[in-house]
Amino acid sequence: IRALIPETGIARMIERRGGRSRKELTNGPGKLTQALGIELAHNGSSLAEGPVIISERRGAPPVIASGPRIGITKAVDLPWRFAVAGSPDVARPRLG
């Protein structure tokens, strides 16, 4: 997981990210882990039992966009990036 769309706990994420704007909270792997308070001590822990839990999304499934990875030289024609279409929380360039 390289990014996410924050829905709850945003004030705490802003605090953890040193007052960064909402747009800069979770749009990259380092930013994401800092915003969520994920540390190396969490490595190897269960994503079903915690302390970090990934659960099934509620509501209607989102429209997923795909695009190429940036900064690679092999398999550049493959869609390596996936995100919720039109999300402002996706790092640029936007996926199509």
Side-chain angles (χ1 to χ4, degrees):
I1 299 173
R2 298 184 55 83
L4 61 78
I5 300 170
E7 293 182 356
T8 62
I10 295 171
R12 181 71 174 119
M13 290 182 197
I14 290 171
E15 183 181 309
R16 286 182 179 137
R17 291 276 301 126
R20 301 273 196 237
S21 70
R22 186 187 181 293
K23 185 175 180 178
E24 291 291 315
L25 287 183
T26 60
N27 64 340
K31 295 175 185 180
L32 172 97
T33 55
Q34 186 179 31
L36 297 179
I38 297 173
E39 301 175 354
L40 288 176
H42 295 115
N43 193 26
S45 61
S46 169
L47 294 176
E49 298 174 14
V52 177
I53 297 173
I54 296 180
S55 58
E56 186 174 347
R57 185 185 196 289
R58 290 175 277 195
V63 174
I64 303 296
S66 66
R69 273 289 308 274
I70 299 167
I72 62 173
T73 58
K74 295 182 180 180
V76 295
D77 56 324
L78 296 176
W80 289 107
R81 297 182 74 215
F82 300 90
V84 175
S87 171
D89 297 292
V90 175
R92 295 195 181 266
R94 298 277 186 245
L95 301 176

